[in-house]
Amino acid sequence: MSLIPRTALPALAALLIASAPAIAARPDEGMWTFDNLPAKKMQAKYGFAPDQAWLDHVRLSSLRFPGGSGSFVSKDGLVLTNHHVGRSWIQSVSGPGEKDYIKLGFVAKTREEEIKVPGLELNTLMQMDNVTERVAKATAGAKDEKAKAKAREAELEAIKKEIQAKTGFTPEVVTLYQGGETWVYSYKKHTDVRLVMAPEGQIAFFGGDPDNFTYPRHNLDFSLFRVYENGKPYNPPHHLAWTQTGLKAGDMTFVTGHPGSTARLETTAQMKMTRDLAFPLRLKAVERQIKFLKAWGAQDPEKARQVSSQVFGLENTQKAITGYLSGLKNVEAMARIEKAEQELQARVKKDPKLQAEAGQSWAKIAAAMTVARGMAKDSAYVNTRGSQLLGGALNLVRLADEEPKADDKRLSEFKETNLKRLKAQLGNAPRNFNKDLEIATFAHGLQEALDELGPNHPFVKAMLGGKKPMDVAKEAVEGSKLTDPAVRKALLEGGKKAIAESKDPMIALAKKLDPLGRELRKKQEDLVSSVVTEHGGRIAKARFAAYGKETYPDATFSLRLSYGAVAGYPANGTQIQPFTTFAGLYDRAWGWGPAAEHGAWALPSRWQDRKGALDLATPFNFVHTMDIIGGNSGSPVVDKKGELVGLIFDGNIESLPGRYYYDERINRAVSVDARAISEALAKVYDAHHLVSEINGK
Amino acid sequence: MSLIPRTALPALAALLIASAPAIAARPDEGMWTFDNLPAKKMQAKYGFAPDQAWLDHVRLSSLRFPGGSGSFVSKDGLVLTNHHVGRSWIQSVSGPGEKDYIKLGFVAKTREEEIKVPGLELNTLMQMDNVTERVAKATAGAKDEKAKAKAREAELEAIKKEIQAKTGFTPEVVTLYQGGETWVYSYKKHTDVRLVMAPEGQIAFFGGDPDNFTYPRHNLDFSLFRVYENGKPYNPPHHLAWTQTGLKAGDMTFVTGHPGSTARLETTAQMKMTRDLAFPLRLKAVERQIKFLKAWGAQDPEKARQVSSQVFGLENTQKAITGYLSGLKNVEAMARIEKAEQELQARVKKDPKLQAEAGQSWAKIAAAMTVARGMAKDSAYVNTRGSQLLGGALNLVRLADEEPKADDKRLSEFKETNLKRLKAQLGNAPRNFNKDLEIATFAHGLQEALDELGPNHPFVKAMLGGKKPMDVAKEAVEGSKLTDPAVRKALLEGGKKAIAESKDPMIALAKKLDPLGRELRKKQEDLVSSVVTEHGGRIAKARFAAYGKETYPDATFSLRLSYGAVAGYPANGTQIQPFTTFAGLYDRAWGWGPAAEHGAWALPSRWQDRKGALDLATPFNFVHTMDIIGGNSGSPVVDKKGELVGLIFDGNIESLPGRYYYDERINRAVSVDARAISEALAKVYDAHHLVSEINGK
C-alpha cells in the first residue's frame, strides 16, 4: 500500500548523492532513465548490462497506471499490476453481496465475463525525444525571461504537435535534472480496460496495516486487467514472457516503473529542519491523536469501530514518519550527504558563472529554514483543530472573500480550476458526521493548542476566549447548523453578506481563525516556499552543470529502470530470508489466530479450503536491492532474459529512509514472486485458462 | 544457547527497580522465591495466584541441571530439558559415525537402550528453611566481625548437619537480598541419569548462531533423560502432567528454574561506566577482531573454515553486548533506574543507622568508577593480545613465582584448588594450534595495542621494542618451542631457575608483560573490585532494611518462579506473532535454501522425509512475558493447572537489556510448545512409547 506516490510531498532542490566520490550513485542505487544506464557498473557487478533490444522490449511491455505501474503479460493484452493499484478500479465495478469483488475476489471465466472499467486509462511509453537542444535554439534569441518562457512553451507545443501528427501518440513534456534536460515522452493511450481477475482483498493485503512497509511478508498483491481495442483484446507489440525458471537468491533483477518523487534533492538545511522540528512536531501530534482516539474507542465496541480506520491510518503515518526520521537521524548517512553538498559548493565556488547563479542559494535556503523553524509550532497548531464543521466554516468564510477576486489573486484552492469541486463539497453535509466524536475531537484539538501554544497565544485567545476547550467545542458543535445542507447552501450562495450576518458559532470561530491563518500562510509562502523553489532550482541547475548525467535524475513519475539482486538483509538480530513461501502464509495465520488485530492475518475461506492443493514450498514474496519509491507499485520485476519473475508491491521498514538516500545494505523492495501468482491462479482460483495464457499456450 | 548463566559476570550491588513507586516490581517482572510471591498482583491481573499445593507440586517436579533447569515429566522419572542444556552430556556419550548423536539425534527404543551419562547430577529442591533468625541469634554475642563470621559459619554447618541427618538431603546455603535473608535449600541428588532421546542438533538449534537471541524462532530445543535409582527408573513423588489442551495467546504461564545472575543491582555509576567505556571498548575490539578473522578467512575456503566458529562466537558476543548496551542507552529506562536510586538514597539519609552504614557508598563506588574509567583502555589492551603461546608463557612465568608462595598470597588462578588443572593444561601443547593464524592473530593484536595505546605506552614499548608488530609476532611464534610438550614440561617443573634461563622468545615477552599486568591487576582489585564488593553490599543491606521483601531478590541460581502471559510484541515495523508453527519451520528452510549461512537453516533429512506426516499447524515456539535470565534454560513452562505446556530456551533480542531491567512491552522469553514435542516424537521420531509415557498412558 505504501508505494502510491505521495503527491503531497513536494520535490525540492539540490541533488545530493551519498558516496565517495560523493557524486557517483552507490552500487544498485538509482532510478535510471532508459537513455542513460550505468552499463559499466552493471557489467562489473553482475556481468550483464541490457542491450537496446532488451531495453525496448521491456519498456514497450511496461504500462503507466493512474498513480502506479503495470505491464503486458500476454499477447492478448493481459495486464498485470498490484491489487492495491487496481483496488479503487475493482471497487468501482463492484457491488453488494456476490459482487463485492474486494471482499470475495473476482475471476472472469471467459472473456465475455471480463468487466469494463470506466475511466481507467493505461499508457505505454512508445517514444522518447530529447528536445533540450531544440528548445535551447528556439529560446536563444529571447530578450528576457518572459520572452524565453514564451518561446520555450511555443516550441514545446510545436514539437508535441509534430509528434502527434506523425505517430498518433500522446506527447508529454518531461523535465529531467530540474531543467538540465527537456524530453518529450510519447504514449500510446489505452482507454478500454477490463477487469479479468482479482484475489480477495484479505490475501492481497494479508497482515493489513500492521504488516504494511514490512518484511517477511505474505501478500498476493496482484490483479489482472485486459486492454481492448475496437471491442477486441489488444495485441501489444511487446509483452513480458512469464518465467519458466524463477529466481533464486543472488539473481539479478530489474524493475521498470514510475517512481513519483523523493526528497533526496533537499539541502541539508531543509533536512535538518525536518529532522529537528517538522517531523517531531508531526509525530507528537499524531501520537497524541492516536492516544485520544484509542481512549475514545475504549468506551465501547461501537465507538472503537467508529475510530478504528482513523487509528490505523494514523498508525501508518506514525510508522512512515518514524521511518523517514530514522533516516535523517542516521549520523553516517547524513555525514555522506553533507560531504556531497560541500563538494558541490566547492565546485560552484570555482566557476564564476555558477557562483553568480547559485553561490548564495544554500545560505538563502538556510535562512528560509530559520524562518520555518520559528513558525513551525504555529504552522502545526494554528488550524481548524480537527473539527469537520470548522473546516467547512472556514472555507465558506474564505469563499465569500475569494470568489469575487480575479483568478490569479485568489488562494490556490479557490482558483477557477478547483472551485466547482470545492463548492459541491461545501454544499453537502459533512461525511460520516458523528456529533459526539466531533465534540471530543474538537475539544482535544483545542486542548492540544492550549498546551502547546500557551493561553496567551493570539490563536488560543481567539478560539477559547478564556473558556475551557470542552465548553467551546460543545457550544460550537451543538449550536452550529452547518450539518444542514440547506444552511450551507445559503451561506455558499449568499456571499459576503450572508457570512457577515451569520450567527452560526462555527462561522464565528472561522472568522476569528481566518486572518491568523492567512497571515501565517503568507509568511510561509513569501519567506519559505518561494525561496526554496527559486534557490533549490538554482542549485539543481548548478549541479547538472557540474556533474551532468553521471547520476540519475530525481523521480518524476515517468518510466525508469532500477536494478539489483535478490538478497536478504540483517534485521531483528538475525539475517532475514530472501524468499517467503506459502508455508509462511499459513504459519502467520495460525501463529496469530484469526481474531488478532481485527483479522489482519485471517485467511479467506478459499485459502483455507485449498491449502491441501497448494505446493507450500512455492516462493511467495521476495526482497531485492532495488532503489524504488512511491509510484513503483505494480512495476514488473524482470530477469536478465527480460522475463517476468515478480511484481513490486512495497518496501521493507528499512526502505523508508529511501526518501532521503539509498542504503543498499538494508533497503529492500518487496515483490510478489511470479510463481506464487501462477500457483494461486491454478490451485486456488481454478483459473487454468489464465495460467495457459500467461504461459503463452 | 543464550540462557546458560554467564558466570563471568559478577553479581554486584544495590537493587534498583524501575517503576513508580520506584521500589515495586513492574507487572510480570520478577524472579520470585517460592516463599514470597506477589499473589495480590497476580490475582489482580490474571484472576489467579498459585496455592501452596500448586507451588509444592511444581517445585517438586522441577530439577536443577548443571548450568540450567529441567523437570520430571512422567511417573517413571522421565526428565525434560533443553537440547542445549543436555548437549555436552549427549556429546559425552556420543561417538563417531552412527553414534554421532549430536548430528543424528538419538531415540532409545526400549529402557535397555537408554544410555547412562557418567557425571551428570540432577537435583530436586525438597525443602527450604529460613535460618536468618537462628543465624542472627548464634552470632549476636560475637565480639567482632571475625568472631561473627566464624559463629555464622559454625551455626550454618550445624544446621546443615541436622537437616542432612534428619532427611538425607543435601543442604546448601542460599543468601538472598545480599545477606538480608539466609536460607538453607535442601536437595535430593540424582546421580544415575540416562539419555533417553535427543533430536538432531540442527533442528534443536535451527537457524544457528544468526537466529540465537531472536524470534520468530523454530527450534526443537529439547532432550529427554531419565533418573534411575538402584538400577530402576525412579518414581518421583511429583511430576508435571503433559498438557492435553495447550496454550493460546493471552494465557497465563509460569516458569520454574534457576536464573543465574543479573546486573540489576549495579549503581548507576557502574552502569554508566559500562555504557560509556567498558562495552564500547569491548565492541570495538570485537568488531576489529571479526574484521581481521574474516579477512584472513577470505584467503581460501580452508582458512574460512578454520576461523568460522571463532567468527560465529564473536558475532554472538557482539550481538549480546549490542543488546545490553541498547538497554543502558535507553533514556527512559535509565531515568527510572536513577529515580529508584535517588529514592533509596533519600530513605537512607533519613535513617541515621543506614546513613552511617551506606550513606557514603554510592560516592565510594562512583569514585571507584572514575578509577575504572581511567584504566579502561589499559585493562582492554594490556594482555596477551590473542596469542595462545604468549598466554601459556605468561602462566609459566607466573607459576614459577606463585607456586612457592603461601596459598593465600597467590594470584587466584594459582591457588591450590585451581593448580592441578592449570598445570595439566600448561603441560600440553596448545589445542588446535595453527602457526599461520597464530602469527596473524598476534600481529593483529599488537597492531591494535599500538593503534589504541600509542607507540610510547610502556606496554607497547615493552612488546614491540621499536619493531613492527608483524616482525615481533613472526619472530616470537617461529622462534618459540612452546608448541613442544617436553619444553613446556621442563619449564613447568624447572621453577624460577628454568624460567630465568629460558631463551624462548615468548617467555621473554611474558617476562616483560608480567609486571605491567600485575600492576594493572592490583590497581583494579584494590581500587575498583574491592570497593564495589564492599559498598555494593552495604547499599544492598540498606535497601533490604528499607524495603524488605516487597520485591524479589537478585538471581542466585536457586529455584525461582516467574509468571506472565503468552503475548506478541511490536518489532520490525509490525506486531510479532505469539506462536510459530511447523509451517514456519519449512518456510524458513525453503526461504533461505539449504546453503545459506553455513546451513544454519538446513533441515535434517528426517524432517524433510516426514513433512507429509506432520500437522504443519502444530504450534512450535511461542513468546511470553517472563522475567528470566541465563540459567533458566530448560525450565518447564506450566499453566494455571500446573501442567506442562512448554519449555523455555531463549529470549528475544529485546530481552537482552533484561540484564539491567525488565521491560514487559517487548522483553519476551522464547519457549518450545509442548505440542511440538509430542507431535515430533510421534511423527518424526516414531517414539510412540515416549508419547504414551508423557501422556500418562
Side-chain angles (χ1 to χ4, degrees), chain A residues 23-165:
Chain A
I23 186 57
R26 312 183 77 203
D28 296 4
E29 172 172 345
M31 304 154 177
W32 300 91
T33 51
F34 275 67
D35 65 298
N36 182 39
L37 292 181
K40 266 190 197 165
K41 209 155 61 175
M42 291 166 136
Q43 190 74 47
K45 184 163 178 189
Y46 294 105
F48 176 84
D51 60 16
Q52 196 56 47
W54 189 102
L55 287 171
D56 290 346
H57 171 66
V58 166
R59 170 174 56 82
L60 292 166
S61 302
S62 299
L63 285 161
R64 190 173 71 184
F65 264 75
S69 307
S71 58
F72 284 119
V73 293
S74 88
K75 68 174 180 52
D76 290 339
L78 196 64
V79 170
L80 176 69
T81 188
N82 288 147
H83 186 273
H84 78 268
V85 168
R87 188 179 171 104
S88 65
W89 303 104
I90 301 166
Q91 180 81 63
S92 74
V93 297
S94 292
E98 277 181 20
K99 294 200 163 178
D100 187 347
Y101 303 135
I102 295 291
K103 187 174 173 197
L104 303 173
F106 171 79
V107 184
K109 290 194 201 74
T110 62
R111 299 222 167 142
E112 288 66 40
E113 286 184 19
E114 296 176 358
I115 306 172
K116 190 160 180 170
V117 185
L120 178 54
E121 177 189 303
L122 310 185
N123 285 280
T124 318
L125 177 55
M126 304 302 288
Q127 185 174 312
M128 300 177 295
D129 296 286
N130 185 346
V131 299
T132 314
E133 282 188 32
R134 195 170 149 183
V135 170
K137 269 182 206 160
T139 59
K143 59 180 191 291
D144 59 22
E145 284 300 313
K146 207 174 163 185
K148 199 171 177 176
K150 215 172 164 181
R152 178 186 150 88
E153 201 160 314
E155 186 66 11
L156 286 171
E157 273 312 304
I159 295 170
K160 288 203 280 182
K161 267 185 195 150
E162 279 169 32
I163 292 175
Q164 198 157 22

Side-chain angles (χ1 to χ4, degrees), chain B residues 292-370:
Chain B
F292 156 68
L293 289 170
K294 282 191 169 170
W296 201 82
Q299 295 175 79
D300 63 60
E302 170 54 18
K303 286 197 163 73
R305 193 199 58 76
Q306 287 164 3
V307 297
S308 75
S309 77
Q310 212 183 330
V311 168
F312 272 138
L314 285 164
E315 283 177 344
N316 258 311
T317 301
Q318 186 180 33
K319 198 194 280 194
I321 295 178
T322 304
Y324 302 146
L325 195 52
S326 77
L328 293 174
K329 284 182 173 170
N330 184 316
V331 176
E332 193 194 326
M334 289 307 286
R336 275 198 312 270
I337 290 173
E338 290 201 333
K339 195 179 158 216
E341 184 170 82
Q342 287 156 7
E343 281 185 28
L344 176 56
Q345 286 169 335
R347 290 280 284 259
V348 165
K349 216 169 187 174
K350 277 186 201 154
D351 180 329
K353 207 180 139 214
L354 292 181
Q355 175 65 16
E357 176 75 12
Q360 301 309 312
S361 292
W362 283 278
K364 296 271 185 195
I365 291 178
M369 288 305 114
T370 305

Side-chain angles (χ1 to χ4, degrees), chain A residues 206-431:
Chain A
F206 182 78
D209 287 287
D211 267 11
N212 199 5
F213 303 119
T214 73
Y215 184 83
R217 199 73 167 274
H218 307 85
N219 285 17
L220 196 69
D221 193 353
F222 86 102
S223 56
L224 292 169
F225 293 82
R226 191 187 305 281
V227 167
Y228 280 71
E229 261 190 8
N230 307 316
K232 284 186 179 156
Y234 168 67
N235 299 123
H238 288 265
H239 73 270
L240 299 173
W242 203 269
T243 182
Q244 300 301 314
T245 48
L247 284 175
K248 59 183 193 313
D251 281 355
M252 189 181 197
T253 60
F254 303 84
V255 161
T256 61
H258 302 82
S261 72
T262 74
R264 295 181 190 177
L265 304 184
E266 291 187 359
T267 68
T268 55
Q270 288 172 277
M271 291 188 188
K272 286 175 185 169
M273 150 66 185
T274 308
R275 179 192 68 192
D276 301 340
L277 268 165
F279 279 166
L281 273 170
R282 183 82 190 282
L283 267 186
K284 191 177 180 188
V286 166
E287 276 159 21
R288 191 168 174 155
Q289 182 77 358
I290 290 171
K291 210 171 154 188
F292 155 68
L293 288 171
K294 282 192 169 170
W296 200 81
Q299 296 175 79
D300 63 60
E302 169 54 17
K303 286 197 164 73
R305 192 198 60 76
Q306 288 165 2
V307 296
S308 75
S309 77
Q310 212 183 329
V311 168
F312 271 137
L314 285 165
E315 283 177 343
N316 257 312
T317 301
Q318 187 180 33
K319 198 193 282 194
I321 295 179
T322 304
Y324 301 146
L325 195 52
S326 76
L328 293 174
K329 284 181 172 170
N330 184 316
V331 175
E332 192 194 328
M334 290 307 285
R336 274 199 312 270
I337 291 173
E338 290 200 334
K339 193 178 158 216
E341 185 169 83
Q342 286 156 6
E343 281 186 26
L344 177 55
Q345 286 169 335
R347 290 281 284 258
V348 166
K349 217 169 185 174
K350 278 185 202 157
D351 180 329
K353 207 181 141 213
L354 291 181
Q355 175 66 14
E357 175 76 12
Q360 301 308 312
S361 292
W362 284 277
K364 296 269 186 196
I365 290 179
M369 289 304 113
T370 305
V371 176
R373 282 173 184 258
M375 60 191 293
K377 259 198 158 176
D378 279 13
S379 298
Y381 297 108
V382 177
N383 53 40
T384 54
R385 304 280 76 222
S387 163
Q388 276 180 294
L389 293 183
L390 183 55
L394 184 65
N395 272 332
L396 287 167
V397 168
R398 286 184 173 169
L399 179 74
D401 268 341
E402 296 292 308
E403 205 176 3
K405 294 182 188 170
D407 199 51
D408 66 337
K409 302 282 182 207
R410 295 183 197 166
L411 293 174
S412 58
E413 64 269 34
F414 299 96
K415 287 192 193 293
E416 217 51 55
T417 46
N418 302 319
L419 200 61
K420 199 176 154 191
R421 204 177 49 180
L422 179 72
K423 281 174 119 174
Q425 227 178 54
L426 280 177
N428 291 331
R431 283 209 305 168

Side-chain angles (χ1 to χ4, degrees), chain A residues 432-454:
Chain A
N432 305 320
F433 187 76
N434 175 325
K435 200 177 79 176
D436 291 344
L437 183 56
E438 168 82 358
I439 292 172
T441 300
F442 191 27
H444 165 262
L446 291 170
Q447 181 67 49
E448 187 181 29
L450 174 61
D451 294 345
E452 294 293 335
L453 302 174

Side-chain angles (χ1 to χ4, degrees), chain B residues 447-697:
Chain B
Q447 182 67 50
E448 186 182 29
L450 174 61
D451 294 345
E452 294 294 334
L453 302 174
N456 296 319
H457 190 283
F459 170 68
V460 176
K461 279 177 156 174
M463 290 294 107
L464 298 182
K467 292 185 208 160
K468 283 183 185 159
M470 180 48 89
D471 295 341
V472 172
K474 217 167 168 179
E475 229 169 81
V477 174
E478 288 182 344
S480 177
K481 299 278 181 297
L482 293 182
T483 48
D484 180 350
V487 172
R488 297 174 78 106
K489 217 161 179 193
L491 288 164
L492 189 65
E493 287 164 1
K496 282 191 187 182
K497 185 161 178 282
I499 294 292
E501 288 169 1
S502 169
K503 297 272 180 288
D504 194 282
M506 278 295 178
I507 293 289
L509 286 174
K511 285 178 191 165
K512 292 181 190 168
L513 167 56
D514 180 37
L516 297 169
R518 281 180 187 266
E519 190 194 331
L520 203 59
R521 189 159 158 177
K522 189 168 167 16
K523 198 171 158 190
Q524 159 70 28
E525 280 168 7
D526 293 353
L527 304 181
V528 183
S529 322
S530 62
V531 178
V532 166
T533 305
E534 167 68 21
H535 290 281
R538 286 173 182 241
I539 291 170
K541 273 178 206 138
R543 195 183 168 288
F544 188 69
Y547 300 124
K549 295 179 78 168
E550 283 173 47
T551 187
Y552 56 96
D554 195 36
T556 48
F557 198 57
S558 57
L559 197 69
R560 301 293 179 86
L561 187 84
S562 302
Y563 71 97
V566 178
Y569 59 97
N572 197 24
T574 184
Q575 295 289 325
I576 305 296
Q577 61 200 64
F579 292 90
T580 64
T581 65
F582 282 142
L585 168 71
Y586 289 97
D587 175 64
R588 296 196 75 198
W590 293 328
W592 266 117
E597 296 283 338
H598 305 270
W601 295 279
L603 283 170
S605 58
R606 204 156 13 192
W607 284 82
Q608 296 171 36
D609 301 342
R610 296 298 178 92
K611 179 177 72 74
L614 282 168
D615 177 356
L616 296 184
T618 306
F620 192 176
N621 291 172
F622 64 90
V623 273
H624 41 155
T625 58
M626 291 283 134
D627 190 4
I628 59 161
I629 204 91
N632 268 118
S633 279
S635 292
V637 182
V638 299
D639 62 9
K640 289 178 182 176
K641 288 184 283 183
E643 291 182 349
L644 185 105
V645 289
L647 174 64
I648 287 271
F649 74 95
D650 204 357
N652 61 355
I653 193 84
E654 294 85 350
S655 74
L656 288 169
R659 186 166 153 70
Y660 296 99
Y661 56 85
Y662 181 71
D663 184 348
E664 185 183 321
R665 292 167 302 180
I666 52 173
N667 182 331
R668 294 289 179 276
V670 186
S671 292
V672 188
D673 196 290
R675 290 165 288 188
I677 296 174
S678 26
E679 178 79 0
L681 283 173
K683 309 282 182 63
V684 180
Y685 298 102
D686 300 329
H688 300 282
H689 58 300
L690 295 175
V691 177
S692 297
E693 184 178 351
I694 59 181
N695 285 315
K697 283 168 195 160

